[in-house]
Amino acid sequence: MKLKLLPKFVLSLGVLGVALTVTISLFSYLSSKEYLEEMYAQRVISGSKSVATMLDITDVRRILGPGGENSEEYRRVEAMLNTLKKDGDITYLSLVIPDEDSVTFYIDTCVQELGDDPANKLAYGTNVLYTEAAYDEIDLQKYYDVWDLYAENKGTDKPLVTDNSYGYNYTAVSPILDEKGEAIAEIQYILDMQKVRDHLNSFLYTMLGISCSIICIALLLYMMLVKWMVLNPVEKLSRFTTEIIQSGDFKKQEIVISTKDEIEDLGNSFNVMLKKLETYIENLTAVTAEKERIGTELNVATHIQSSMLPCIFPAFPDRNELDIYATMTPAKEVGGDFYDFFMVDKRHIAIVMADVSGKGVPAALFMVIGKTLIKDHTKPGRDLGEVFTEVNNILCESNDNGMFITAFEGVLDLVTGEFRYVNAGHEKPFIYRKGKGYEAYKIRPGFVLAGMENIRYKEQMIQLDIGDKVFQYTDGVTEAMNKDNQLYGMDRLHHILNQQCQTCGPEKTLELVKADIDAFAGDNNQSDDITMLCLEYTKKMEG
């Protein structure tokens, strides 16, 4: 029994020792980190400027001009940049031209001795959109910052730091200026800082190891002192508590400890606790009843949310030009996904699929707002890009919680088969072409709704024929996980749609896909809302 309390005293000293160890180690680590980061920052900035200065403006103009990739200047400059990359152990070194929404690569160095894969080398003239290259919104802003500097004929005066799943890198850019001082291209210079981080981590672990050895010796001496000074009175309190537990009698019990220190205070506090225990049990009963009431209200909220989504099928029994079906399975009592479909006028049907960030009641409330705004602003003949632009600005006005919505809306003309759509960061739909099967339709994702004011969304169009279908969904479908933490994924969704659903109507299609997801996930808990919608163009409406 005495040894059960001893580790707690040892822990108190251990915490102090660990605090000192961590403080000293972190101070040394941060000092080294600051020095190394400053050194590499200077290297990146000066390196990019040096490379930009070395390039002859005539050679650069020839490379950027027609047939530049086949010119002698291209081969000479590429060889020089590859040599600089190899000698300087540079991770990425490229000759590029940025613009307001993308960057075009003209020379992308590749040195196999450094581990570069030629298959990953960007071809001459490759244009990469910022929205496709950026890891997140913060990363996207860095691309825009580089463009702003380039427009001012400037380069970076300090490295741009990225630390995400793409790696931990320092990036610097320096413009190549013509005779008038105007930028015609720029050098993109990137260093992988992972080795520096590994070195600092190794240094930190070494410091921690030495300090821990000292702590162990101090703990041994402290254990001997604690056994003599503290354990006896604590043992008395331990026996008292054991007797109370065995008897189950909490009333009129009291222990007397006279040590004139914190242990005596502990005994007195224990006596007070016994007197309040019965009151606590009564309060616990009341709290349990309150939780049951909240659970009942959540069930009501679930019913209310489901009733807000179109749930009566067939949805348009008097229309034979289309067939539509949709489902939503929330991960919690209420979800953040939503779908909608409605007739804009007699010849146009609109479909909406969206996913609100987060889960639970906040997401459900934001869902109601988003669903209502999209439907209210969708009018006959109105450009869907304008609909999302206006809805986005309204959502941004009072979005104090920083929530956002990925959304897709499409409007099908039942006379012509024209399917106009707009996408705000949502999943790409699968389009079924009669006799060809389902394929994921590649569209630009756009930016999410409520993420940033004054985003301009663009309407696009697909031509559908009789028998074609549109299958749309939320990321809860492709990101469903099994017990091995594997994602369901786009490939499995593509497979089930083409293997079992080509000849099925919308309702059967959603039933088969959901069954396949359930079989894949097994007993693993659903982590996200699963929402799907399928629209089939069955017959051309007479105009």
Side-chain angles (χ1 to χ4, degrees):
M1 181 63 68
K2 294 180 180 179
L3 292 178
K4 290 183 180 180
L5 185 60
L6 183 60
K8 297 181 181 180
F9 285 95
V10 174
L11 180 61
S12 64
L13 180 61
V15 169
L16 177 60
V18 168
L20 291 173
T21 299
V22 170
T23 300
I24 295 172
S25 300
L26 283 179
F27 177 78
S28 302
Y29 168 81
L30 293 174
S31 298
S32 300
K33 181 174 182 290
E34 182 181 4
Y35 171 77
L36 290 174
E37 288 181 344
E38 177 63 23
M39 180 179 70
Y40 277 92
Q42 292 297 327
R43 175 187 168 184
V44 171
I45 297 299
S46 61
S48 65
K49 291 180 179 178
S50 297
V51 175
T53 304
M54 292 171 61
L55 297 182
D56 184 87
I57 190 67
T58 303
D59 291 347
V60 174
R61 283 200 179 98
R62 180 66 184 92
I63 292 170
L64 302 180
E69 70 273 29
N70 298 318
S71 66
E72 176 61 28
E73 290 84 351
Y74 178 90
R75 289 188 290 271
R76 184 172 64 253
V77 172
E78 182 184 36
M80 182 185 70
L81 293 182
N82 281 331
T83 301
L84 292 174
K85 174 182 171 68
K86 179 179 178 181
D87 294 344
D89 195 20
I90 305 169
T91 309
Y92 299 105
L93 183 61
S94 307
L95 176 66
V96 302
I97 296 181
D99 60 29
E100 61 185 8
D101 60 2
S102 64
V103 59
T104 302
F105 284 76
Y106 288 89
I107 296 180
D108 184 29
T109 57
C110 179
V111 179
Q112 297 187 46
E113 292 91 330
L114 297 180
D116 293 347
D117 186 354
N120 296 330
K121 179 181 178 181
L122 295 177
Y124 178 94
T126 298
N127 184 263
V128 180
L129 291 171
Y130 297 152
T131 53
E132 294 177 354
Y135 178 79
D136 52 24
E137 186 176 345
I138 297 176
D139 198 19
L140 179 63
Q141 184 58 47
K142 293 178 181 177
Y143 284 97
Y144 291 135
D145 292 341
V146 170
W147 160 244
D148 290 340
L149 289 172
Y150 182 80
E152 298 175 1
N153 305 313
K154 296 179 181 178
T156 51
D157 55 5
K158 61 181 180 180
L160 301 175
V161 181
T162 55
D163 189 3
N164 48 47
S165 61
Y166 295 157
Y168 176 39
N169 300 315
Y170 274 13
T171 301
V173 293
S174 292
I176 300 173
L177 305 178
D178 62 11
E179 297 82 355
K180 298 180 180 180
E182 296 182 355
I184 64 169
E186 69 180 10
I187 290 296
Q188 187 180 87
Y189 188 111
I190 302 176
L191 279 184
D192 185 356
M193 294 293 290
Q194 188 59 46
K195 291 183 180 179
V196 177
R197 173 178 284 175
D198 293 341
H199 170 75
L200 290 171
N201 290 341
S202 176
F203 172 74
L204 179 61
Y205 296 150
T206 301
M207 291 291 296
L208 290 173
I210 295 173
S211 302
C212 285
S213 300
I214 298 174
I215 289 176
C216 290
I217 297 174
L219 285 177
L220 181 61
L221 298 175
Y222 186 65
M223 288 167 57
M224 298 172 62
L225 180 63
V226 168
K227 290 180 66 176
W228 174 59
M229 295 183 61
V230 179
L231 290 183
N232 286 339
V234 172
E235 183 181 5
K236 180 180 178 180
L237 179 59
S238 178
R239 287 196 303 267
F240 176 68
T241 57
T242 301
E243 292 172 359
I244 292 178
I245 292 172
Q246 291 175 350
S247 65
D249 184 9
F250 297 97
K251 296 181 179 180
K252 298 181 180 180
Q253 296 285 355
E254 187 176 2
I255 185 173
V256 178
I257 298 178
S258 302
T259 58
K260 307 301 182 183
D261 56 20
E262 289 82 1
I263 297 178
E264 181 177 337
D265 294 338
L266 177 62
N268 295 334
S269 298
F270 191 80
N271 293 332
V272 174
M273 182 189 68
L274 291 175
K275 295 177 182 178
K276 294 184 177 181
L277 184 58
E278 189 170 358
T279 302
Y280 171 77
I281 293 174
E282 293 175 355
N283 292 336
L284 182 61
T285 303
V287 170
T288 302
E290 178 65 13
K291 287 185 177 180
E292 292 177 353
R293 182 189 66 79
I294 293 174
T296 301
E297 292 182 354
L298 282 175
N299 289 334
V300 174
T302 302
H303 177 72
I304 292 173
Q305 183 183 34
S306 62
S307 65
M308 292 188 64
L309 303 178
C311 55
I312 299 177
F313 298 98
F316 306 102
D318 58 335
R319 305 300 296 261
N320 59 1
E321 300 92 355
L322 63 97
D323 188 10
I324 192 167
Y325 197 79
T327 62
M328 186 190 78
T329 306
K332 293 187 176 182
E333 289 83 356
V334 288
D337 285 5
F338 68 89
Y339 67 84
D340 200 2
F341 54 82
F342 51 90
M343 297 300 299
V344 181
D345 54 27
K346 292 183 178 181
R347 64 181 280 181
H348 294 90
I349 180 171
I351 64 171
V352 179
M353 180 66 63
D355 184 0
V356 180
S357 61
K359 305 287 186 301
V361 175
L365 294 175
F366 206 60
M367 176 272 284
V368 173
I369 298 172
K371 175 180 179 296
T372 303
L373 288 173
I374 292 174
K375 185 171 184 178
D376 288 348
H377 286 77
T378 302
K379 303 296 182 182
R382 190 175 187 190
D383 185 279
L384 295 181
E386 295 179 0
V387 171
F388 269 30
T389 297
E390 187 168 346
V391 169
N392 174 69
N393 287 335
I394 295 173
L395 290 173
C396 287
E397 288 178 358
S398 57
N399 187 16
D400 296 334
N401 293 325
M403 304 182 74
F404 61 86
I405 302 175
T406 68
F408 175 93
E409 181 178 19
V411 173
L412 173 62
D413 188 328
L414 298 174
V415 174
T416 66
E418 180 183 76
F419 184 72
R420 298 179 296 110
Y421 67 89
V422 62
N423 192 42
H426 201 71
E427 313 300 315
K428 52 188 176 184
F430 279 84
I431 305 297
Y432 171 79
R433 301 292 188 181
K434 190 173 182 180
K436 296 182 180 180
Y438 282 95
E439 287 294 336
Y441 193 78
K442 295 181 179 180
I443 58 178
R444 291 186 178 182
F447 199 65
V448 297
L449 297 178
M452 185 185 301
E453 290 183 342
N454 299 322
I455 296 293
R456 304 297 301 178
Y457 296 89
K458 294 183 179 180
E459 177 187 270
Q460 301 179 66
M461 191 273 286
I462 309 172
Q463 182 63 43
L464 299 183
D465 296 324
I466 302 302
D468 289 353
K469 306 172 194 174
V470 178
F471 177 86
Q472 186 56 286
Y473 53 96
T474 61
D475 59 5
V477 173
T478 54
E479 294 180 3
M481 284 189 179
N482 62 13
K483 62 181 180 180
D484 298 323
N485 291 329
Q486 294 177 327
L487 296 178
Y488 184 76
M490 291 286 290
D491 291 341
R492 284 187 176 88
L493 180 57
H494 181 270
H495 178 79
I496 186 66
L497 287 172
N498 283 295
Q499 291 298 316
Q500 299 187 31
C501 304
Q502 289 199 36
T503 60
C504 299
E507 180 175 0
K508 187 63 176 179
T509 296
L510 267 57
E511 177 184 330
L512 291 173
V513 173
K514 184 59 168 62
D516 192 58
I517 294 172
D518 292 341
F520 171 80
D523 297 331
N524 203 39
N525 292 331
Q526 182 180 333
S527 60
D528 198 359
D529 305 333
I530 295 177
T531 307
M532 298 179 286
L533 180 147
C534 185
L535 169 66
E536 181 178 5
Y537 185 26
T538 58
K539 180 182 178 183
K540 182 174 291 188
M541 177 181 175
E542 295 183 3

